[in-house]
Amino acid sequence: MAPLSHPKVRAGWFREVSPVWHGEAMTLKVRRILYVERSKRQDILVFESEAYGNVLVLDGVVQYTERDGFSYQEMIAHLPLASHPDPKTVLVMGDGHGGIVREVLKHSTVEEVVVCNMDEVDISVAKAYFPHMSSMLSDPRVTTHVSDGSVFLDHHASAYDVIIDCSNTMDPGRSRSKEAYVQSVYRALKVGGNLAIRTGSVWLQDEAVRALSDTMSLMFPTVRYAYTTVPTYPSGQVGFMLASTANGRALNKPLRTIHDTRYYNAEVHEAAFVIPEFGRALLQEGNDIRPTFGPEATIVPPPARRRVLLLGSGAVARPCAEYIVRNPANSLTVACRTLSSAETLVHGLRNASAVALDAGSEEPEKRASLEKAVADHDLVISLVPYIYHVNVIKAAIKGRTNVVTTSYISPAMRALEADIKRAGIVVMNEIGLDPGVDHLYAIKTIDEVHAKGGKVKEFTSFCGGLPAPECSGNPLGYKFSWSPRGNLLVLLNSATYLSGGNQVEVPGKDLMSSARPYFISPAFALVAFPNRNSVPFREFYGIPEAETVMRGSLRYQGFPEFVRALVALGLLDMEQKPWLQQGLTWAEVTQHAIGASDASEGTLIKRVKELCQFPNEEEGRRIISGLKWVGVFSSAQADIRDGNLLDTFCALLEPLLRFEEGERDLVLLQHKFVIERADGSQDTITSTLEAYGEPDGHSAMARYVGVPCGIAAQMVLDGFFKEPGIFAPHSKEICDPIRETLEAHGMGLVERVL
């Protein structure tokens, strides 16, 4: 049996990262993982911690620990019960582990407790790992229902003296709005009934707390906020919204003494309702008196304010957006074809809004919407597919709006240069990772060598966006950190480079055969192959003396051979296939693609061997096993896309080669310069980037594309470029300030002389 693992547990530590922590995180040292399951409703993790005993985690959020859970359980139970004159019937929603029921049963007046829990797995997990709590669920006064709480309430009008809700029923995405849910709870209470709902802390979740208070005040005559301390909850506190159908009930006054408690007593009961002044002002007056700091504290006069439009909401867009809104003078609009995607990207960002735009559409109405949006902003950042940049630039010319892209300057973009200059705008390009960061450090080293009278005899540069080694366990050793289609298409491009003074041409069909082992460190088994046309970079970088100039891509060993097999089988073919129709299984698609006599696995494999001509049996087994894993021999129905094999194959690969929760990517970039110094001696200099993504945050690819793009955008806004035109970071004047800013953010390459 394999040892248990969970993406939230890495290097012996559990890490809770959640939007409610607002730039914070909570970690616990893990002794051992006890239980992992993905139920129909939630992800469940139980582990034994170093300091808090057994810990229950649902959907990545700590729910209970043996060390501090009693505080929460006692307070959410005793605050509503002890302030009720005679509680007999109690409904507890979400207490699948039984700890709150334990506290409810300490009240001698209680005759019936109903537990409503959405997931029966919670109950079984509690019995196994928290038996001291779950045993209370077997008390004869307790009845347990596995049901949606909202549905359950509809069938139990005027049934309960006290309702305790510790579920996630109030969270976004549940079946009802807050208003509808609170109405259901109100109807389920008897006359004079009390309610306690778990809510957030006024330190971190003030908006949600106030919104719930306002909603409950519309229906309940008495509403009060209380809180308790729980070290493993966000900010060390958890809040409760208390309410009663009785007008004027003193929820803060206990009416009886509760025995056998560890946290709760009469004094604590009353003190729980005494909240800090900033919390009182916020909840009772709607007045936020907390200190302002950072960008929020900066007053920007109207002439200094700038409006930025970001087109595209892909994987690299968020770090760019975050960089833009750091500057309090900037307001950001994020636009995507689907409004929901744009809204997701701007969630939590200050001075940011979302709209729906289609940069690629030729429809007059959509084109007009794009032109108006571009004209309404001071700068547009285009992170849409490169083929749409021309549409964006044409709109920018019309609206006299500056543009920043991360893409290479295409001939179609260059053809607009005269119009760009007439419009008086700046179009800054090639400022992501590759191209982008690679330019910054190539120019730096080349300039330093030339300044000392030296020459660059050889220049090679290879970059790869890869899964981190521990996440690379698939037949390709690869995962998609950007467009799957784009990832595969670059593998079909022809390449041109200089080697020993000679120009070398590599046809696209032979690109993978040109891959060679490449050493960066003993930790990586890498191969490198050329990418596009490297020859112009001898001019771009100002190294006419260089005899070798090659730019290319990095992959883990074994990747090129697998891709060669895909090409040989026709699975990367972009041509329309009349026979490629919905309803085909993948085995049938493969049969047609490779010309096999039937769709049986044996026949398909035999034909694959004929087409691929594997160099040896071991390599053949590896590739064929990989093809089985991908599913091209399976009876599963193929998702036919755009009538061609490439897009259809992309649909198959997307779910298989995506980064899962808790996984991280790796960006490797290395320049290698063979230089001749003024005294005739030679050296080899390397500039190397090895950057890993954050398992629960931004990928390395997103950071190293988005942040440089944001830096360049801010330079354009600040008036760095004095003349209009098309620009790229190919000069010291442009590269140095971007590189220095990048390094100030802890990002950049490390230089060594070998």
Side-chain angles (χ1 to χ4, degrees):
M1 181 177 177
L4 293 175
S5 63
H6 192 276
K8 294 291 184 183
V9 178
R10 291 193 172 274
W13 288 83
F14 165 81
R15 182 170 178 242
E16 181 179 330
V17 179
S18 169
V20 301
W21 287 89
H22 292 282
E24 305 172 50
M26 192 273 294
T27 59
L28 293 174
K29 189 167 180 57
V30 177
R31 281 183 175 166
R32 59 181 178 137
I33 297 176
L34 301 173
Y35 181 85
V36 174
E37 180 175 346
R38 180 76 198 180
S39 74
K40 292 180 180 179
R41 294 190 177 272
Q42 58 198 343
D43 178 82
I44 302 171
L45 165 67
V46 181
F47 65 87
E48 180 187 352
S49 73
E50 187 80 18
Y52 282 83
N54 286 1
V55 179
L56 173 65
V57 181
L58 301 179
D59 290 332
V61 177
V62 171
Q63 303 295 314
Y64 171 81
T65 82
E66 290 182 306
R67 179 178 177 180
D68 67 7
F70 65 89
S71 166
Y72 163 71
Q73 293 166 345
E74 290 181 14
M75 294 295 280
I76 197 172
H78 300 317
L79 292 180
L81 281 159
S83 59
H84 190 287
D86 189 25
K88 289 183 169 59
T89 57
V90 180
L91 171 63
V92 182
M93 302 180 66
D95 183 34
H97 40 68
I100 295 171
V101 171
R102 177 194 64 214
E103 299 304 315
V104 170
L105 293 175
K106 291 177 182 178
H107 292 258
S108 58
T109 61
V110 171
E111 299 173 353
E112 179 188 13
V113 182
V114 176
V115 177
C116 180
N117 199 66
M118 293 184 69
D119 197 335
E120 61 185 346
V121 179
D122 284 356
I123 300 170
S124 61
V125 168
K127 288 180 180 178
Y129 300 103
F130 305 96
H132 54 289
M133 294 191 302
S134 64
S135 61
M136 303 307 296
L137 297 175
S138 60
D139 187 284
R141 290 169 290 178
V142 179
T143 304
T144 301
H145 296 269
V146 177
S147 173
D148 184 311
S150 298
V151 175
F152 184 86
L153 289 168
D154 288 343
H155 296 87
H156 295 82
S158 302
Y160 303 104
D161 295 309
V162 175
I163 295 177
I164 299 169
D165 187 352
C166 61
S167 70
N168 293 324
T169 312
M170 300 302 295
D171 287 353
R174 292 293 176 175
S175 58
R176 295 190 181 182
S177 68
K178 287 180 172 60
E179 293 80 3
Y181 176 72
V182 172
Q183 287 176 350
S184 296
V185 176
Y186 184 91
R187 288 193 295 266
L189 283 167
K190 294 179 181 178
V191 174
N194 283 0
L195 166 67
I197 293 181
R198 183 184 75 186
T199 186
S201 159
V202 290
W203 283 105
L204 296 184
Q205 298 148 299
D206 51 284
E207 293 181 4
V209 171
R210 185 182 173 195
L212 180 57
S213 176
D214 291 345
T215 299
M216 293 176 67
S217 295
L218 295 174
M219 284 160 257
F220 287 88
T222 304
V223 177
R224 294 287 301 272
Y225 176 78
Y227 69 94
T228 189
T229 61
V230 188
T232 52
Y233 274 52
S235 81
Q237 294 182 355
V238 60
F240 312 111
M241 201 61 70
L242 278 292
S244 179
T245 60
N247 190 17
R249 174 157 295 164
L251 294 167
N252 62 325
K253 299 293 184 181
L255 302 179
R256 66 190 67 84
T257 300
I258 311 302
H259 300 286
D260 191 26
T261 60
R262 291 185 171 94
Y263 189 94
Y264 175 89
N265 57 39
E267 292 79 10
V268 167
H269 183 127
E270 294 194 34
F273 292 85
V274 180
I275 59 177
E277 179 60 15
F278 78 87
R280 186 206 64 78
L282 188 70
L283 294 179
Q284 296 180 14
E285 302 170 3
N287 185 21
D288 189 350
I289 63 173
R290 294 171 297 176
T292 56
F293 52 90
E296 300 287 351
T298 304
I299 299 175
V300 181
R305 295 173 188 167
R306 298 290 182 266
R307 297 160 300 169
V308 179
L309 175 65
L310 193 158
L311 295 174
S313 60
V316 303
R318 177 73 184 205
C320 181
E322 290 174 350
Y323 188 90
I324 293 299
V325 299
R326 287 181 192 178
N327 189 320
N330 297 336
S331 63
L332 177 69
T333 305
V334 173
C336 187
R337 282 184 297 180
T338 56
L339 180 60
S340 59
S341 297
E343 289 173 336
T344 298
L345 192 141
V346 302
H347 179 72
L349 294 180
R350 62 185 300 274
N351 290 343
S353 59
V355 298
L357 287 174
D358 188 349
S361 176
E362 298 297 333
E363 296 178 22
E365 185 177 339
K366 291 183 178 179
R367 177 63 64 85
S369 296
L370 174 66
E371 290 176 351
K372 182 180 185 307
V374 170
D376 286 344
H377 291 79
D378 299 293
L379 180 140
V380 56
I381 300 171
S382 183
L383 297 180
V384 295
Y386 74 93
I387 58 174
Y388 301 140
H389 289 326
V390 169
N391 288 355
V392 175
I393 294 171
K394 287 180 178 178
I397 291 169
K398 192 171 182 178
R400 298 184 181 276
T401 302
N402 296 315
V403 180
V404 173
T405 85
T406 58
S407 300
Y408 287 104
I409 300 171
S410 68
M413 293 163 67
R414 185 66 73 182
L416 297 173
E417 188 163 18
D419 293 334
I420 288 168
K421 290 181 177 179
R422 278 192 292 270
I425 65 172
V426 169
V427 179
M428 173 66 178
N429 307 278
E430 301 187 20
I431 189 58
L433 169 64
D434 173 16
V437 175
D438 57 344
H439 294 333
L440 307 182
Y441 284 86
I443 294 297
K444 172 186 180 292
T445 302
I446 290 168
D447 181 72
E448 290 171 350
V449 170
H450 285 171
K452 295 177 182 178
K455 298 178 180 179
V456 176
K457 305 299 290 183
E458 298 180 16
F459 170 75
T460 55
S461 176
F462 295 102
C463 183
L466 303 163
E470 74 274 11
C471 307
S472 62
N474 64 64
L476 281 86
Y478 193 73
K479 293 196 172 185
F480 297 130
S481 57
W482 54 291
S483 160
R485 192 177 200 273
N487 266 277
L488 295 176
L489 282 177
V490 299
L491 307 176
L492 304 176
N493 289 335
S494 59
T496 306
Y497 61 93
L498 295 173
S499 178
N502 298 314
Q503 185 164 308
V504 180
E505 307 280 348
V506 182
K509 65 182 180 62
D510 298 328
L511 186 64
M512 292 296 98
S513 298
S514 71
R516 296 292 181 267
Y518 187 85
F519 178 86
I520 288 182
S521 86
F524 303 111
L526 301 168
V527 292
F529 50 88
N531 186 19
R532 307 192 187 217
N533 187 359
S534 301
V535 176
F537 286 89
R538 183 161 62 171
E539 177 185 348
F540 295 158
Y541 289 167
I543 47 174
E545 72 274 20
E547 298 174 353
T548 295
V549 177
M550 182 192 295
R551 288 161 46 88
S553 301
L554 294 172
R555 297 290 187 269
Y556 290 127
Q557 287 184 16
F559 177 89
E561 292 81 3
F562 200 96
V563 173
R564 280 211 310 269
L566 297 178
V567 172
L569 302 179
L571 293 175
L572 305 187
D573 191 344
M574 291 180 285
E575 291 185 6
Q576 295 287 308
K577 307 292 182 186
W579 56 265
L580 194 56
Q581 303 290 331
Q582 295 292 349
L584 292 174
T585 67
W586 258 106
E588 291 168 338
V589 170
T590 303
Q591 176 195 356
H592 282 283
I594 66 178
S597 57
D598 61 64
S600 67
E601 184 174 296
T603 300
L604 295 177
I605 290 175
K606 181 180 179 182
R607 179 61 177 156
V608 167
K609 290 179 178 179
E610 292 172 356
L611 291 173
C612 294
Q613 294 293 301
F614 299 118
N616 54 63
E617 189 175 340
E618 181 180 353
E619 182 71 351
R621 279 198 301 268
R622 183 180 76 85
I623 301 295
I624 289 170
S625 295
L627 293 171
K628 286 184 181 180
W629 181 86
V630 169
V632 297
F633 304 143
S634 76
S635 58
Q637 279 212 346
D639 177 9
I640 309 300
R641 291 189 183 176
D642 296 331
N644 69 76
L645 286 165
L646 172 66
D647 289 299
T648 301
F649 189 58
C650 283
L652 180 64
L653 287 184
E654 282 171 9
L656 296 173
L657 300 185
R658 67 185 175 200
F659 283 91
E660 301 293 342
E661 182 183 1
E663 293 189 330
R664 59 180 186 157
D665 69 328
L666 164 65
V667 166
L668 287 173
L669 167 62
Q670 186 176 80
H671 296 325
K672 187 175 290 183
F673 309 85
V674 177
I675 67 168
E676 183 181 288
R677 300 195 183 276
D679 62 4
S681 62
Q682 286 199 346
D683 273 319
T684 299
I685 301 173
T686 60
S687 288
T688 306
L689 170 65
E690 180 182 335
Y692 291 88
E694 302 164 3
D696 297 298
H698 294 314
S699 68
M701 181 64 72
R703 283 189 293 118
Y704 273 88
V705 173
V707 173
C709 180
I711 293 171
Q714 190 62 55
M715 287 173 58
V716 175
L717 290 169
D718 292 341
F720 174 85
F721 296 91
K722 305 305 180 185
E723 299 292 335
I726 297 178
F727 297 90
H730 295 164
S731 67
K732 174 180 171 62
E733 291 72 25
I734 295 176
C735 288
D736 279 2
I738 299 177
R739 178 176 49 77
E740 290 163 5
T741 305
L742 190 70
E743 290 173 351
H745 285 81
M747 302 168 66
L749 278 62
V750 176
E751 188 173 286
R752 293 179 59 203
V753 179
L754 302 184

